[in-house]
Amino acid sequence: MTLESSVGEIKGVGEVLAKKFGQLGIKSVADLIDYYPRRYDDYSAISPTNSLHPGVVTIEAEIKQASGRYVRRGMHITEAIASDAVGSIRLIWFNQPYRVGSLKAGQKYFITGKYELSHQRFAIMNPAIELANEFPVNTARIVPIYRETKGLTSRQIRQALKQAMSLIESLVETLPTEVVNQYKLVDRSSALKTIHFPESDADLQAARYRLGFEEVFQLSLASLLNKQANLQQLAPPIMFNEKLAKTFVSELPFKLTNAQRAAIWQIYLDLQKPQPMNRLIEGDVGSGKTVVATMAALMALEQGWQVAFMAPTELLARQHADTIHKLLRPLGLETKVDLLVGSLSPAQKTKARAAVASGQAQFIVGTQALIQDKVDMHKLALIIVDEQHRFGVDQRKTLMSKAGHMPHVLSLTATPIPRSLALTVYGELDISIINIKPGGRLPIITKLVSPNSTKAVYQFVESELQAGRQIFVVCPLIKESDVIQANSAEKVYETLRTGVFKHWRIGLLHGKMKPSDKNQIMTDFVNHKLDILVSTTVIEVGVDVPNASVMLVEGPERFGLAQIHQLRGRVGRSHDQGYCYLMLSDSKQPSRRLKALESSSDGFKLAELDLEIRGPGAIYGTSQSGDLDLRIAKLSDTHLIAAARQAASQLIERQVNLLQYKQLMTNVTRLQSVTNLN
Ligand code: ADP
Ligand code: MG
C-alpha cells in the first residue's frame, strides 16, 4: 500500500465503504491522511468501575462472560460483564450479533461508552471496545470526531487510519528544513499522527500550529510568487497629466472625498511605473469607486491607450457605460466609450468591434466575455474589474498574448476584506481602502424582525410604496427545498403577489433565469415599471436603483454578515433614509452575529466578526472560497499568520531554489493558479 493507493486497499475497507469514503472526497490513502478531524472528545481518563457517573465513561476491564440473544424479531442484544480490581459492570450492545464472537473472555479491554440506566439497572450502552494491549483509537484517549456520512462513522475512519499508520509514520517533510527549525515546528509525520491520534492537548496544539503554519505559508508563498512574476513583466508606463486630472475634477458635480483622492493618487503612481499595476480598491457600496476607476482610465485614454472595464453582469456593464459616458462628457472624451456585451445584435457587435480595432473606441465596457471576445485590443493598457476579487494570472496571460505586454489591472470590490485575509490570500495585491462615504448619505436603519412582527413591517413597506418608493426582497433560495428550511424566492414571490402586496407590480429575479429575462426584469425595476423585486442574491453586485428605500432579507441566518451588509447597501443610495429588515426564520433569540448588523455599519468590523465566527467561506459565500479556505489555521491567529508570512518572504528574499521542495511547490503552484474567487 502506498499513499496513492485507493482507500479500498486498506484492510477492512471494502468496495462499499470505499464508495462512502468517496462521498467525503476521500479517494486515496493520502486523501484519508489529509482528512482532518472536526473536533475531539477526551476519553483519556480511565475510571474505576465502582465510581462511575452517568454519561460517557472509559474503563479498563476484563471481559468475564458474554452472551447474545434475540429478544424479539429483529432485535438482538449482546450482554457482557466487565470487571476491574474494584468491581463489575454490565455492557450492552443492540443489534450487533457479531459482538459475542469478537469478545475474548479473560482479556483486558479499554471500553468507552455511555453509562446509563437500562431497565432499572446501570450499564454501559453500545460501547467502543479495544484490546488494552493494542494501540487504542476509539477508547481511552483523546478521540477525533470527523465529518461523517450515512454508513461511515468516525470509528470506521479511525480504524482505516490505524491501518495506514505505517504510512503516516513515514510521511516526508514538505517544509524546508530551515523553516521547520527556525520556527520550531513539529515535523509533518508527527503532526499528522497527532492530528488523528493525539496523546495530549499540548501535542495537539503543536500539531495544529504546524499544519496551520503550512497552510498560511503556502498561501503566502503563492501570492508572493505571483507578485514577483508580475513585477518581472513589463507594462506601458502611463504618465500623469495634472492639467487633465484637474479639469476632470472641476467638472464633477461633487467634491471627491479624501479617501477617493488618496486612492487615485496611488493609482497614478502605479501607472507611471514600467511594471504592471495590480491594485484592489476596497470600498463599501456607494463609496464612489466608479469615479476613481474613471480617473485611472483618463490618463490612459489621453495617451492613446485602450481601457477595458469588466462588470459581472450585462446590466451592470450598461449602467457603468452610462455613468462613465456622463463623467467624460465635459472633457469631450465620451465618444471614446463603447459598450460591448453579448446581447448586442450581430450588426451592433460588428460595428463595436470595428470601432475598437480602429482605435475610435478606447474605453470598452462589458462583461468578462470582453477579453475572450474576438476583439482586437492591441492597444490595451488598463483593465478595470468590478466586483471580482482578483484578476487571474491566466487571464492576464491571455491578454498579454493579445497586447504584447501586461496590462495594468485595477480591481474594485465592495467586499470588506479583513487585514489578515488581505495579507495571506491577497498578498500579491496592493490595496487602497475607501473608508469614507460621500457626505449627505444616512446610515441604513437595520432591524431584526421576528415572525410575529412581519405585519408591522409590511405596513411600513406599504407606506413607502404609497410614497412612490421601491422595495427589494432577497431570499436565500430559488425554489422550495425539503432539506433546507428557508423561504425561497419563488414562494415569497407567490405569497406577496397574491397576498398583502397584490395591488403592486412585483417581479421575480434569480440566477436560473435566462439572461435576457433577467435583464428585462432588472431593467423594468430600474425604470420603475416594477414596485417590488423578489430575488436571490443575484442583485448583490452593483446595480443602482436610487429610488429603492427598503430591503427585506428573508432567512438572514443563511447569509454572511458582509453579504447582508452589501445587500443593504442597495438601498438608501439617494439622500433619503434607507431601511433594511432582517426577517428571522423563527422566534428564537437572534445570534450575536446578526445583532451586530443592527448596531454596526462598519463593513470591516462585520467582516472580521464573520471571519472569527464562521471562517473565510462566510465572507465570500460558499462557492467562492473553495481552495483558499484554511482548514486549520484561524485568520484571527495573528501570531501564526505573521510567522508564516515572514517565513515565506524570507525564503523568497534569500532566493532559495524552490524547485527542490517538490511537494511544497506542487501545492503552491496549484494555489497560484486559483486566481478567481468568483
Ligand atoms: P460604488 O463604490 O458602490 O461603486 P458608485 O461609484 O456607484 O459607488 O457611487 C455611488 C454614487 O455616489 C454615485 O451616484 C456617484 O455619483 C456618487 N458619488 C461618488 N463620489 C462622490 C462624492 N465624492 N461625493 C458625492 N457623491 C459621490
Ligand atoms: Mg460599483
Side-chain angles (χ1 to χ4, degrees), residues 1 6 77 82 108 193 220 252 301 313 356 370 448 503 563 578 590 623 626:
M1 193 168 69
S6 146
I77 283 191
K108 263 206 176 159
K193 185 170 172 188
S220 304
L252 285 175
L301 297 182
T313 64
V356 176
L370 199 60
L448 300 177
H503 45 291
Q563 212 179 2
S623 63

Side-chain angles (χ1 to χ4, degrees), residues 139-388:
T139 61
R141 60 155 42 258
I142 300 173
V143 166
I145 314 295
Y146 299 89
R147 190 164 63 82
E148 302 175 347
T149 185
K150 202 163 173 260
L152 180 58
T153 64
S154 287
R155 277 188 201 177
Q156 290 167 305
I157 297 173
R158 288 176 214 135
Q159 212 61 54
L161 277 159
K162 184 180 176 181
Q163 296 301 326
M165 187 69 91
S166 62
L167 282 174
I168 298 178
E169 284 172 339
S170 54
L171 284 172
V172 293
E173 184 53 69
T174 39
L175 288 173
T177 320
E178 23 339 338
V179 172
V180 174
N181 293 340
Q182 188 184 341
Y183 292 89
K184 301 197 170 50
L185 302 174
V186 180
D187 67 82
R188 181 171 174 75
S189 161
S190 319
L192 281 160
K193 185 170 172 188
T194 300
I195 274 294
H196 295 298
F197 305 111
E199 296 299 334
S200 70
D201 271 344
D203 283 358
L204 190 53
Q205 267 183 33
R208 292 181 62 90
Y209 186 85
R210 142 80 206 214
L211 296 171
F213 185 102
E214 186 163 6
E215 284 178 324
V216 177
F217 177 77
Q218 288 180 356
L219 270 177
S220 304
L221 207 53
S223 58
L224 288 170
L225 287 173
N226 276 350
K227 182 165 196 165
Q228 208 180 35
N230 195 41
L231 288 179
Q232 276 158 10
Q233 302 292 341
L234 288 178
I238 299 171
M239 291 305 141
F240 171 56
N241 177 334
E242 192 178 350
K243 192 161 158 268
L244 183 63
K246 283 204 165 137
T247 315
F248 179 86
V249 171
S250 69
E251 295 289 346
L252 285 175
F254 47 73
K255 202 166 162 287
L256 291 173
T257 63
N258 283 342
Q260 284 172 316
R261 284 171 185 280
I264 292 163
W265 185 240
Q266 282 166 326
I267 293 169
Y268 284 157
L269 290 178
D270 289 348
L271 289 176
Q272 294 180 66
K273 293 180 188 153
Q275 289 95 26
M277 168 172 78
N278 195 18
R279 185 169 288 280
L280 175 71
I281 306 280
E282 259 185 87
D284 257 0
V285 174
S287 61
K289 297 184 289 292
T290 318
V291 67
V292 171
T294 308
M295 285 194 76
L298 198 57
M299 299 301 151
L301 297 182
E302 195 240 1
Q303 285 157 48
W305 294 105
Q306 285 177 318
V307 180
F309 193 138
M310 303 192 296
T313 64
E314 273 204 33
L315 188 85
L316 214 59
R318 287 174 187 276
Q319 221 170 49
H320 280 320
D322 276 354
T323 308
I324 293 164
H325 211 264
K326 283 186 198 124
L327 286 170
L328 291 176
R329 193 174 302 151
L331 304 184
L333 288 170
E334 82 279 11
T335 53
K336 308 274 183 198
V337 183
D338 219 330
L339 181 73
L340 190 52
V341 290
S343 65
L344 294 182
S345 71
Q348 285 171 315
K349 266 190 210 164
T350 311
K351 193 165 156 252
R353 285 195 192 116
V356 176
S358 73
Q360 160 63 23
Q362 268 183 277
F363 198 155
I364 306 112
V365 186
T367 58
Q368 291 256 352
L370 199 60
I371 56 161
Q372 278 117 38
D373 200 342
K374 299 183 280 289
V375 191
D376 177 10
M377 291 218 247
H378 61 282
K379 290 286 274 178
L380 182 67
L382 171 64
I383 298 175
I384 301 165
V385 201
D386 194 19
E387 293 304 343
Q388 183 93 15

